[in-house]
Amino acid sequence: MDSWTGPDVPHLTDGLTPAPPLRLFDTTTGDVHPITTGPTARMYVCGITPYDATHLGHAATYLAFDLLGRVWRDAGLDVLYVQNVTDVDDPLLERAVATGQDWREVAARETELFRTDMAALRVLPPDFYIGAVEAIPLVVDLVEQLKASGQAYEVDGDLYFSVHSDEHFGSVSGLDRAQMLEIFGERGGDPDRPGKKDPLDCLLWQAARPGEPSWDTSLGAGRPGWHIECTAIALAHLGMSFDVQGGGRDLVFPHHEMGASEAQVVTGEWPYARAYVHTGMVGLDGEKMSKSRGNLVFVSTLRDAGVDPMAIRLALLGHHYRTDWEWTDADLTGAQERLAAWRAAVAATAGPPAEATVEAIQLALTDDLNAPAALAAVDRWASDRRLRGGDDTSAPGLVRDAVDALLGVLL
Ligand code: 5CA
Ligand code: ZN
């Protein structure tokens, strides 16, 4: 499906010390370590299930991976970025039934709103933006391969993946079996379904149910399971051992664990992704912001109220991507003040030299995407300029370009 149009990214390298190598926290290893790539960095980030508008938790997650793409580009790499849209799945179908709408209309409308929100927030678009529906042939092909090699089996017409066919199963999340069993049921799994070989086995293909959409394929009429959707899209567009699998921390298990195992079993190769990077959960009023809980602040609501998307972006970047945090109005007012201060500073004809500021932004972002430290470096330059002036006429332009290229904020 169509992605969205992204802004041009200014080029920064002239006259600056090269940025240090990128280090990221990898869920699998549990530590921050250097992330090396080939000349093209390959990233898959799990996309939305489009049954409601983009909330600030989603936006924070996509901004974190947007920073990663910007850091890679700043290091002179090409970036191959793939994202899915789960445009057929239980929550979407349930919402459509509950509101008396056609599920396709809900998905198309909310996906379009997501694109508009992402473009407004100046999030660089994925190169491949792929819906689950359009990926059905890819899914069928993978499931056929799993069936042929005996790693998929049937329960009342539905097809399941045998998680134990992957010797590395469990290595993404590092969870023990008891923890897995507990979480699986909470996050879309069905540990108690009779007939499964192992309670943790996950659905690959769900046979058609009355009143639900289905597709006639070699697997019979039905629709894809969730995890195999992302595996099929990632393998088709990135191949095995791509650099970063990203998403919110709620996806570590089962989604990223299962997706990795399915790919590893189909290809006989390891690893699926070289690093697994997860964002913290944004909450409101003491709970994770989620569509099912309904405690949401939407990007589009703020935009409709006239809030500058760059202030929204700065508010989200004010929190480190790995922390869980709660949205408050103070996040937005603080970001609006910061945006005004930065705009005033770069509108000046001269200021203090800015090379060290740009290098500080690069240093912060290459150190596990430390956006708050990067913002603090710009704050220091802006307050220096206000308090002490400065006669470097290239400095305001350099800060503007660096804030644009590295932080995605247009001043
Ligand atoms: N379609 C699947 C992924 S294949 C899905 O999880 N969709 S979603 O709409 O529920 O979430 C979209 C992305 O936002 C996911 O990466 C998810 O981990 C992330 N996310 C969801 N809620 C929050 C939150 N409260 N804070 C931060 N990130 C969140
Ligand atoms: Zn996914």
Side-chain angles (χ1 to χ4, degrees):
M1 53 173 65
D2 288 339
S3 186
W4 58 93
T5 306
D8 289 336
V9 181
H11 182 72
L12 284 178
T13 49
D14 302 338
L16 296 166
T17 314
L22 170 66
R23 293 159 6 104
L24 288 176
F25 185 93
D26 182 349
T27 301
T28 304
T29 58
D31 66 358
V32 176
H33 63 74
I35 299 290
T36 55
T37 71
T40 300
R42 294 175 297 160
M43 169 162 73
Y44 186 94
V45 178
C46 283
I48 55 161
T49 305
Y51 66 93
D52 216 337
T54 321
H55 61 63
L56 292 171
H58 300 134
T61 288
Y62 297 111
L63 278 186
F65 295 101
D66 186 57
L67 290 185
L68 176 53
R70 288 170 184 275
V71 168
W72 274 332
R73 284 180 175 81
D74 186 48
L77 300 173
D78 288 326
V79 179
L80 181 58
Y81 179 18
V82 181
Q83 192 180 124
N84 68 305
V85 184
T86 308
D87 58 0
V88 57
D89 200 9
D90 297 342
L92 168 63
L93 300 176
E94 283 159 19
R95 174 63 62 93
V97 168
T99 56
Q101 301 174 84
D102 185 303
W103 63 276
R104 282 160 293 218
E105 274 169 36
V106 177
R109 186 182 64 235
E110 299 306 341
T111 304
E112 182 53 25
L113 187 56
F114 176 74
R115 291 188 190 97
T116 317
D117 286 338
M118 290 296 108
L121 292 174
R122 302 183 95 239
V123 173
L124 300 174
D127 302 286
F128 292 96
Y129 192 46
I130 311 286
V133 171
E134 63 185 339
I136 286 174
L138 300 174
V139 169
V140 171
D141 185 45
L142 280 195
V143 178
E144 288 288 10
Q145 290 181 54
L146 288 167
K147 257 177 88 176
S149 57
Q151 284 125 345
Y153 64 92
E154 213 177 298
V155 179
D156 301 332
D158 296 338
L159 287 168
Y160 278 84
F161 172 64
S162 273
V163 291
H164 292 294
S165 55
D166 178 28
E167 60 174 307
H168 296 284
F169 178 69
S171 64
V172 172
S173 63
L175 296 176
D176 63 30
R177 189 173 167 82
Q179 292 168 315
M180 287 182 183
L181 281 168
E182 194 182 324
I183 300 176
F184 189 51
E186 292 164 8
R187 300 201 185 143
D190 52 1
D192 301 325
R193 181 165 182 184
K196 285 169 63 173
K197 290 184 183 166
D198 186 301
L200 290 173
D201 289 347
C202 66
L203 190 66
L204 290 167
W205 185 258
Q206 176 168 297
R209 309 277 199 269
E212 286 193 359
S214 64
W215 287 263
D216 276 319
T217 72
S218 58
L219 301 169
R223 61 181 167 97
W226 172 30
H227 318 303
I228 195 76
E229 162 196 343
C230 286
T231 309
I233 295 170
L235 286 183
H237 295 284
L238 296 172
M240 278 302 272
S241 299
F242 58 89
D243 296 294
V244 167
Q245 161 74 71
R249 197 172 291 143
D250 56 336
L251 300 184
V252 174
F253 191 87
H255 188 50
H256 291 166
E257 191 77 65
M258 300 294 183
S261 281
E262 290 165 350
Q264 284 154 189
V265 166
V266 162
T267 62
E269 293 169 34
W270 184 85
Y272 174 56
R274 298 174 69 227
Y276 295 81
V277 177
H278 293 105
T279 57
M281 290 291 111
V282 180
L284 182 73
D285 304 331
E287 288 211 84
K288 169 191 156 185
M289 221 180 257
S290 83
K291 287 177 272 204
S292 46
R293 288 196 179 87
N295 60 336
L296 306 174
V297 179
F298 296 122
V299 173
S300 45
T301 312
L302 294 176
R303 290 201 293 119
D304 289 348
V307 176
D308 187 328
M310 293 301 95
I312 304 173
R313 185 163 176 126
L314 270 183
L316 298 171
L317 294 181
H319 298 268
H320 191 275
Y321 80 94
R322 274 202 291 128
T323 51
D324 294 335
W325 57 280
E326 301 253 324
W327 174 264
T328 65
D329 290 344
D331 283 290
L332 191 56
T333 44
Q336 285 165 325
E337 283 161 20
R338 179 175 257 152
L339 184 63
W342 289 11
R343 283 190 170 147
V346 301
T349 49
E355 283 77 8
T357 301
V358 179
E359 286 162 11
I361 300 171
Q362 291 171 321
L363 184 69
L365 293 182
T366 50
D367 179 14
D368 197 26
L369 306 176
N370 191 345
L375 302 195
V378 183
D379 287 343
R380 281 194 298 276
W381 181 83
S383 85
D384 251 19
R385 195 216 56 84
R386 190 166 49 81
L387 298 172
R388 284 188 277 282
D391 56 11
D392 185 336
T393 52
S394 67
L398 179 57
V399 171
R400 180 189 278 123
D401 279 354
V403 167
D404 181 349
L406 296 166
L407 297 171
V409 176
L410 187 66
L411 295 179

